[in-house]
């Protein structure tokens, strides 16, 4: 076991199942000695999350509806009372309605657009605002994005717009949070087989292209993302904020 996160309280928001990127981050953080705190969206998901994380340690799970400011307030009140301080936050939260990923982007509904931006981008702002109050020793906030914010990927649609908003939010939050010694960064993960990704049409073809075109001649894994996340959550990244780092086996650098 390593010690890069020893004596550090790390909040991981958005763990859904063993295929999720957040699980790769959680496994890596536990191996580095982090005291992990998890959130999930519902009571049903809480039981599933508790069962999953039992493999890596005895950690707490709290229900938090990320679209509710009251839920976010209550979460951080509980965290402040129980833990006093946290040192890192992993924001692994994104969602778009299924129909918005099936139809062409042109036909995105007003409601679907608002939902995707609220859950996938604004939630980082809301979480950061409250996290600041319990990150009294400074620390790191890390979110997850995807190259669909930069280039068109068929079927990614409104999520690409949401991720673009998320990445810009990272810069503005980094500017605001710097005076509190809090760093805000993002990892742009290459395509990975997650439950959410499988909702994107033509995702299998995206995986095949990435594997063939990436300089490392493979697709990235959640373990790769986990290792990179430890860098950002630990003091190794003490001088870095406002950055979006591609962890995609180099796929983003390639042209046709």
């Amino acid at each position: 076991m390593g010690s890069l996160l020893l004596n550090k309280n790390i909040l991981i928001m958005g763990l859904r199942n063993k295929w999720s990127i957040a699980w790769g981050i959680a496994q890596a953080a536990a191996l580095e000695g982090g005291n992990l705190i998890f959130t999930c969206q519902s009571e049903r998901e809480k039981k599933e999350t508790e069962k999953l994380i039992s493999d890596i340690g005895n950690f707490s799970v709290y229900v938090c509806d990320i679209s509710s400011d009251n839920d976010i307030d209550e979460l951080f009140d509980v965290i402040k009372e129980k833990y006093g301080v946290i040192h890192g936050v992993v924001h692994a939260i994104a969602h778009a309605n299924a129909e918005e990923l099936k139809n062409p982007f042109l036909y995105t509904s007003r409601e679907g657009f608002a939902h995707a931006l609220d859950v996938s981008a604004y939630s980082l702002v809301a979480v950061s605002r409250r996290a600041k109050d319990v990150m009294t020793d400074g620390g790191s906030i890390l979110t997850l994005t995807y190259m669909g914010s930069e280039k068109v990927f068929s079927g990614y649609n409104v999520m690409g717009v949401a991720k673009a908003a998320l990445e810009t939010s990272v810069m503005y939050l980094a500017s605001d949070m710097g005076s509190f010694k809090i760093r805000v960064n993002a990892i742009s993960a290459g395509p990975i087989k997650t439950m959410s990704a499988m909702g994107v049409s033509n995702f299998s073809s995206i995986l095949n292209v990435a594997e063939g075109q990436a300089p490392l001649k493979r697709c990235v894994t959640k373990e790769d993302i986990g290792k990179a996340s430890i860098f950002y959550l630990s003091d190794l990244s003490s001088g870095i904020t406002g950055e979006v780092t591609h962890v995609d086996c180099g796929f983003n650098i390639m042209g046709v």
Side-chain angles (χ1 to χ4, degrees):
M1 178 179 288
S3 59
L4 288 172
L5 298 182
L6 193 64
N7 298 320
K8 291 186 182 295
N9 297 324
I10 307 295
L11 174 64
I12 299 180
M13 308 183 75
L15 174 61
R16 296 185 64 190
N17 51 56
K18 65 182 180 180
W19 296 283
S20 66
I21 294 174
W23 179 232
I25 296 174
Q27 289 176 305
L31 285 174
E32 290 297 337
N35 180 33
L36 309 184
I37 309 160
F38 294 89
T39 70
C40 59
Q41 189 73 8
S42 67
E43 285 292 340
R44 179 183 58 81
E45 290 183 2
K46 182 180 180 182
K47 293 180 181 179
E48 296 172 358
T49 303
E50 287 174 337
K51 182 178 179 181
L52 178 61
I53 66 173
S54 64
D55 289 341
I56 60 174
N58 183 23
F59 302 122
S60 297
V61 180
Y62 300 96
V63 175
C64 178
D65 179 355
I66 203 64
S67 64
S68 167
D69 287 333
N70 286 337
D71 269 28
I72 295 172
D73 288 344
E74 290 175 6
L75 169 69
F76 282 98
D77 286 344
V78 169
I79 288 175
K80 185 174 183 178
E81 181 177 351
K82 182 172 181 178
Y83 300 92
V85 63
I86 59 174
H87 307 89
V89 177
V90 176
H91 174 272
I93 298 168
H95 189 265
N97 295 329
E99 59 268 24
E100 310 299 351
L101 303 180
K102 293 177 182 177
N103 300 322
F105 176 69
L106 178 64
Y107 299 104
T108 303
S109 69
R110 186 181 299 274
E111 295 77 15
F113 189 96
H115 172 78
L117 270 288
D118 181 25
V119 174
S120 308
Y122 181 75
S123 61
L124 177 66
V125 181
V127 166
S128 297
R129 185 165 57 244
R130 283 308 315 270
K132 171 181 67 65
D133 298 331
V134 288
M135 298 182 78
T136 51
D137 294 334
S140 173
I141 297 175
L142 180 66
T143 190
L144 297 173
T145 186
Y146 178 59
M147 198 167 62
S149 64
E150 307 167 49
K151 293 175 171 48
V152 174
F153 284 81
S154 176
Y156 202 58
N157 298 355
V158 71
M159 279 306 305
V161 177
K163 291 299 188 183
L166 178 70
E167 291 175 19
T168 304
S169 296
V170 164
M171 294 191 295
Y172 279 89
L173 287 170
S175 177
D176 286 350
M177 304 282 271
S179 59
F180 302 102
K181 299 180 181 178
I182 298 172
R183 311 184 307 280
V184 186
N185 293 287
I187 286 179
S188 183
I192 297 178
K193 276 188 178 180
T194 64
M195 294 297 289
S196 297
M198 298 312 290
V200 177
S201 61
N202 301 319
F203 183 73
S204 294
S205 64
I206 293 174
L207 281 174
N208 292 335
V209 171
E211 183 175 9
Q213 293 290 327
L216 294 182
K217 301 304 179 188
R218 67 176 178 87
C219 288
V220 72
T221 66
K222 63 181 184 294
E223 288 77 19
D224 293 325
I225 307 300
K227 293 172 187 176
S229 297
I230 296 305
F231 170 75
Y232 272 118
L233 292 170
S234 73
D235 293 336
L236 292 176
S237 61
S238 59
I240 303 174
T241 194
E243 292 291 333
V244 176
T245 299
H246 291 88
V247 183
D248 61 358
C249 295
F251 178 58
N252 74 95
I253 70 171
M254 302 303 294
V256 176

